[in-house]
Amino acid sequence: MSADIPGIQSDLRAAKLDGWLFYDFRGRDPIAQRILDLPEGMRTRRWFYFVPAKGTPKKLVHKIEAQSLAALPGDTLYYAGQDELRKNVGKMLGRAKNVAMQYSPKNAIPYVAMVDAGTVEQVRGSGVKVVSSADLVQKYEACWSDEQLASHQSAGAAIDRIVREAFQHAAKNVREKKTITEYDLKVWILQEFENAGIWTEEGPDIAVNSNASDPHYGPTAESAAPIREGDLLLLDVWGKKKTPGSVYYDITWVGYLGAKVPEKYAKVFGIVGEARDKAVDLILKNIAAGKPLQGWQVDKAARGVIEKAGYGKYFFHRTGHSIGEKVHGNGANMDGLETHDVRHLIPRTCTSIEPGIYLPEFGIRSELNMYIDEHKARVTGPVQKEILPLLA
């Protein structure tokens, strides 16, 4: 593979930008290296690569590493000293006025803020306006191929089955008065993953009662709580196929180890479910209507439901995250709390929707995945409507 320069230039023209300036120093910007498909090589000095909306790209490299960007097309400028570096940055930018970089104003989207403030100041000193490359980046980092969508659906079918069977396995042990802990159930799920050809970097998160109030709780053999009758049981499970390029499927479901779910749990789940559905409906309607939609707006829709119900302070994470080859991908997050994510929901991307309420005595979250296509969006798996009564 090689960098898609014509595609980048087409995207720059569509965004009404004069160019995209890539910069790196000692591997600080992995985004640049991935998008440009740079091969391994010695790059101990600062380098720049400018892709104009029209015309020939330009490289700026140190004289002792003259071949460091040889794999990329374009004309090459060189520097040794600081003055020569500053002069040639201006020369390579030419008449450009609006240039994208891996930068985020006030670090609002830290996932793309790879360029240090001093370098941004230096580029601005050449007379250009630096804007965020955030929306450009997600097109190259977060969009799925048809094969990746198929891998998501295949992983989803397996994980949905494993989650159902995990609840059944926990319930069977409780009925038979056998000891089973959160960690035991985690190990059981991972074995089922292996049998189904599913892989995960970490997890799953298995939590009962107050442990479920920690959204990233992970049981260990030493710390795991037993799973008993009367417990609320939350399963946050994510994984992908073992084939190269596969993408994740990531869900959270909740069950109760009893015949009838107590009202205190049902009430909170109802609010969480309403918040989830509010976010889903907003995405469905906006994508179908061709209306632009940003991540923070989806978060606002879900968070508003929980705040109106009086539980706002108990929902302390974003509503959803981009999903890709890593479970937390590099596209738009549904976030107006931790960050102000102004990235748009664009075609061929996927996001989780997972609001939660985390009280001192128990926590409840409901998570599903949404795939955004050219003219419509869809939920890619089943939707939990109520807490599962596991001993009914």
Side-chain angles (χ1 to χ4, degrees):
M1 290 181 63
S2 58
D4 181 12
I5 302 303
I8 291 174
Q9 291 183 313
S10 176
D11 292 331
L12 288 168
R13 291 192 292 272
K16 294 181 170 51
L17 293 172
D18 297 320
W20 191 348
L21 181 59
F22 294 90
Y23 162 80
D24 192 34
F25 178 60
R26 295 192 171 186
R28 291 181 183 177
D29 186 3
I31 293 173
Q33 298 192 39
R34 288 193 299 265
I35 292 176
L36 297 176
D37 196 30
L38 278 176
E40 292 292 327
M42 180 176 285
R43 300 183 186 93
T44 66
R45 305 305 200 271
R46 291 172 283 182
W47 61 260
F48 293 81
Y49 186 65
F50 182 57
V51 181
K54 295 180 181 179
T56 304
K58 291 184 173 62
K59 301 175 257 189
L60 177 57
V61 297
H62 197 282
K63 290 176 181 177
I64 70 167
E65 294 177 347
Q67 298 301 309
S68 57
L69 298 184
L72 299 175
D75 300 330
T76 305
L77 298 171
Y78 304 93
Y79 76 94
Q82 301 174 53
D83 292 342
E84 194 173 17
L85 172 65
R86 284 189 286 269
K87 176 184 175 182
N88 281 337
V89 166
K91 187 174 181 180
M92 77 185 304
L93 293 171
R95 296 181 179 180
K97 296 299 180 187
N98 296 288
V99 172
M101 294 187 77
Q102 270 77 279
Y103 151 80
S104 178
K106 297 183 179 180
N107 203 27
I109 307 174
Y111 312 98
V112 298
M114 301 294 172
V115 180
D116 64 276
T119 298
V120 172
E121 291 169 356
Q122 180 180 337
V123 173
R124 285 174 174 160
S126 299
V128 304
K129 179 181 179 181
V130 176
V131 301
S132 178
S133 63
D135 264 334
L136 288 168
V137 165
Q138 70 167 333
K139 179 164 185 182
Y140 293 89
E141 292 270 284
C143 291
W144 291 1
S145 65
D146 290 341
E147 292 76 16
Q148 287 177 312
L149 175 58
S151 80
H152 172 81
Q153 293 169 324
S154 178
I159 291 171
D160 287 336
R161 173 185 60 78
I162 291 168
V163 167
R164 289 195 303 271
E165 292 176 359
F167 280 126
Q168 293 166 5
H169 180 70
K172 182 175 184 292
N173 277 267
V174 169
R175 281 196 189 96
E176 296 176 357
K177 311 291 186 189
K178 293 180 180 178
T179 299
I180 182 171
T181 69
E182 298 163 324
Y183 184 75
D184 293 333
L185 190 55
K186 173 180 178 175
V187 170
W188 185 92
I189 290 172
L190 290 175
Q191 182 58 58
E192 291 299 307
F193 269 25
E194 182 64 26
N195 296 341
I198 302 295
W199 182 84
T200 183
E201 293 176 82
E202 53 193 10
D205 291 346
I206 313 300
V208 296
N209 307 324
S210 62
N211 287 342
S213 296
D214 177 355
H216 281 179
Y217 172 79
T220 66
E222 296 74 28
S223 68
I227 300 172
R228 297 170 173 153
E229 186 171 355
D231 284 348
L232 185 76
L233 175 60
L234 180 148
L235 306 184
D236 185 350
V237 184
W238 61 95
K240 65 178 182 176
K241 302 293 286 185
K242 290 184 177 180
T243 50
S246 294
V247 294
Y248 273 88
Y249 182 80
D250 181 13
I251 58 170
T252 303
W253 280 59
V254 186
Y256 173 70
L257 275 303
K260 187 178 188 310
V261 177
E263 176 59 25
K264 65 178 181 179
Y265 296 149
K267 175 186 175 183
V268 172
F269 183 88
I271 296 165
V272 169
E274 183 184 351
R276 176 201 66 202
D277 294 345
K278 189 80 168 181
V280 168
D281 289 345
L282 179 66
I283 294 173
L284 291 174
K285 290 175 182 176
N286 276 261
I287 299 302
K291 294 175 62 176
L293 184 63
Q294 296 176 323
W296 70 270
Q297 294 172 304
V298 179
D299 181 79
K300 181 180 179 181
R303 195 168 302 281
V305 172
I306 293 175
E307 289 176 342
K308 185 177 180 181
Y311 291 92
K313 71 177 182 178
Y314 300 109
F315 177 24
F316 42 75
H317 60 69
R318 62 194 175 198
T319 292
H321 60 82
S322 168
I323 297 174
E325 291 186 46
K326 291 187 175 295
V327 68
H328 293 99
N330 220 5
N333 295 320
M334 309 304 102
D335 190 3
L337 177 72
E338 301 174 48
T339 69
H340 185 70
D341 203 321
V342 296
R343 287 176 290 186
H344 291 85
L345 277 66
I346 64 173
R348 307 191 74 84
T349 60
C350 184
T351 183
S352 72
I353 300 295
E354 49 179 307
I357 293 174
Y358 308 99
L359 302 173
E361 61 272 29
F362 68 92
I364 288 177
R365 179 169 65 258
S366 181
E367 179 181 14
L368 50 75
N369 303 163
M370 290 197 74
Y371 180 72
I372 291 86
D373 218 328
E374 296 292 341
H375 304 295
K376 63 180 180 180
R378 66 181 185 273
V379 176
T380 62
V383 180
Q384 185 170 13
K385 299 298 185 183
E386 60 185 7
I387 295 175
L388 304 177
L390 301 176
L391 301 183

